Amino acid sequence: MSSLAPFPETPLIEGIRPLQIGNVAIGFPVVQAALSGYSDWAMRVLARRMGASYSLCEVMLDQFLVGLKDRRRTQHFLYNTPEEHPVAGQLMGAEPEQFSLGAQKLVEAGFAVIDINFGCPVRKVLGRCRGGFHLSQPTVALEIVKRTRDIVPASIPVTIKMRRGIDDTTESRDRFYEILDGAFAYGIAAITVHGRTVEQRYIGPSRWEFLREVKRHVGDRIILGSGDLFSARDCLRMMQETDVDGVTVARGCIGNPWIFQQARALFAGQPIPPPPSLFEQREVILEHFRLAEELYGEDRAGVPMRKFGIKYSQLHPESLAVRAEFARVKNLQEWKSVLEKWYSEDLPGIYPQYSELESECE
């Protein structure tokens, strides 16, 4: 995990520029998305070391933040360090007043950007009038935007994550643009648009042509694209096909932080590095567990790391067998045992396959 050269001010590929969100200079325009249950401090630090110039923490509920006490078992939610900055705190909720109070908690925790989640398609979230549900009610959505922008200091950018609407009806499309235009009018610095509807969840392709339409509509305002970014080539292709200002990698970077390294090479006009060998994977996987121990404590890191082990297994040529082993890990010793058994020979890795239906909240 070597140090990274800064993204050049003069782009090596025509049309690609360094990303800027408000007064926060991001640089390399491929960033790590907020991923519920995944994008904790450990994952974000690894992404940063592997080439992500910016990341977002996993989404947090406003009511949870408002009532949050300074306790060992919950401190990981707001934990961030200088190594990973700039990093954004993402917030989700239902009521405008409580939402803004939650945003204030993220400011106090030191996040460089505050991101509003109007995109989560998970059913239990929608049922509680949160996330993507707000795309059905522009008045409430824009009240949340206004209150959040008012309570967050002017020096800290506020951004939004949206999907292209609740569904593909004309009414849904009109509401999307009402929220989009209204949010920019209230001083939102950037908006990330996922190319699927809330109703689609993760089924069917992300509609990239809609991103191109949105970018044409907003002109010089900052739009980031999201949806179906599973490789470095996907990242470059989305930017070239849609003219968005940056892309946020979600499911494609879970267990595969090398995607940022590969994207940096591609954007610099270099060949894409091959998939990491098993020894390269072993080094990063072991470091991920060490970071998780630092975040959660030795006695609690094992269980949350299982889901990462399962994702890392996708890069192993014996992925199904390795996946089964990681799924049973309880502690560092068992983690090391899996590495000793399956990563003891420096074989070539493989690019991960994304054929299964997944439902992370992004």
Side-chain angles (χ1 to χ4, degrees):
M1 292 181 284
S2 59
S3 60
L4 297 156
F7 190 65
E9 291 299 320
T10 303
L12 298 175
I13 295 179
E14 185 178 357
I16 307 297
R17 297 287 188 275
L19 178 63
Q20 180 94 15
I21 297 178
N23 60 358
V24 177
I26 305 300
F28 183 55
V30 179
V31 307
Q32 180 188 282
L35 285 152
S36 183
Y38 285 95
S39 57
D40 59 11
W41 173 78
M43 180 182 181
R44 299 193 309 263
V45 165
L46 276 181
R48 180 72 174 179
R49 293 177 185 176
M50 298 297 289
S53 52
Y54 172 67
S55 62
L56 295 92
C57 74
E58 57 182 310
V59 64
M60 286 176 273
L61 291 177
D62 53 3
Q63 63 184 35
F64 168 77
L65 287 176
V66 170
L68 186 64
K69 306 297 183 183
D70 186 15
R71 294 173 179 163
R72 170 67 178 167
R73 293 189 65 85
T74 57
Q75 68 178 14
H76 63 275
F77 286 107
L78 294 175
Y79 189 69
N80 62 93
T81 57
E83 179 183 359
E84 61 166 329
H85 271 254
V87 59
Q90 191 181 82
L91 189 62
M92 183 165 65
E95 301 297 332
E97 183 175 1
Q98 186 166 251
F99 202 105
S100 62
L101 295 176
Q104 192 170 31
K105 288 280 190 176
L106 293 177
V107 170
E108 292 168 359
F111 289 99
V113 177
I114 307 302
D115 190 62
I116 297 171
N117 185 310
F118 286 164
C120 183
V122 174
R123 289 191 181 94
K124 67 179 179 181
V125 170
L126 302 177
R128 293 168 182 163
C129 303
R130 300 167 178 156
F133 180 84
H134 288 298
L135 298 180
S136 69
Q137 48 178 12
T139 300
V140 176
L142 290 174
E143 181 66 16
I144 286 174
V145 171
K146 182 179 185 303
R147 284 177 177 258
T148 302
R149 181 61 278 180
D150 286 347
I151 204 169
V152 172
S155 60
I156 297 177
V158 176
T159 60
I160 296 177
K161 169 66 183 291
M162 304 171 66
R163 285 184 168 232
R164 74 170 193 261
I166 291 290
D167 52 35
D168 278 321
T169 62
T170 301
E171 292 80 7
S172 180
R173 174 189 173 86
D174 291 344
R175 290 169 183 153
F176 171 91
Y177 277 106
E178 183 179 349
I179 295 170
L180 183 89
D181 292 339
F184 278 126
Y186 280 133
I188 291 301
I191 295 179
T192 298
V193 181
H194 185 111
R196 291 187 180 87
T197 64
V198 172
E199 190 177 76
Q200 271 187 276
R201 301 184 71 207
Y202 301 92
I203 300 171
S206 175
R207 191 172 293 175
W208 289 10
E209 62 268 25
F210 183 77
L211 305 182
R212 183 171 61 250
E213 175 189 315
V214 170
K215 181 57 186 172
R216 282 201 305 263
H217 176 81
V218 303
D220 291 337
R221 289 170 169 151
I222 302 299
I223 296 292
L224 289 86
S226 175
D228 290 350
L229 297 172
F230 296 115
S231 71
R233 292 193 187 280
D234 292 336
C235 297
L236 178 59
R237 187 166 61 86
M238 177 181 276
M239 293 194 68
Q240 291 178 323
E241 291 183 7
T242 69
D243 293 326
V244 293
D245 302 283
V247 297
T248 63
V249 185
R251 289 176 291 163
C253 70
I254 305 175
N256 184 25
W258 294 273
I259 191 172
F260 299 109
Q261 185 183 72
Q262 292 159 357
R264 277 189 178 257
L266 184 62
F267 278 55
Q270 302 168 0
I272 298 179
S277 72
L278 296 195
F279 279 6
E280 291 173 311
Q281 292 180 41
R282 183 178 66 184
E283 177 187 0
V284 170
I285 293 170
L286 189 59
E287 175 65 2
H288 195 157
F289 202 105
R290 189 197 68 75
L291 291 169
E293 283 191 327
E294 185 176 337
L295 180 63
Y296 298 105
E298 292 183 10
D299 57 332
R300 296 176 53 219
V303 172
M305 281 304 295
R306 286 177 187 166
K307 60 180 179 285
F308 285 106
I310 289 170
K311 299 295 184 181
Y312 279 119
S313 71
Q314 296 178 109
L315 282 75
H316 196 288
E318 300 290 339
S319 58
L320 292 179
V322 178
R323 176 191 176 109
E325 296 270 5
F326 273 128
R328 295 191 290 267
V329 166
K330 300 184 186 70
N331 53 50
L332 179 58
Q333 187 53 50
E334 293 181 2
W335 191 262
K336 287 181 175 179
S337 295
V338 175
L339 296 179
E340 289 170 3
K341 179 177 180 180
W342 293 102
Y343 295 82
S344 59
E345 185 179 355
D346 197 18
L347 300 173
I350 62 172
Y351 289 113
Q353 303 297 311
Y354 295 95
S355 57
E356 61 185 271
L357 178 64
E358 301 182 61
S359 59
E360 285 82 21
C361 184
E362 51 168 293

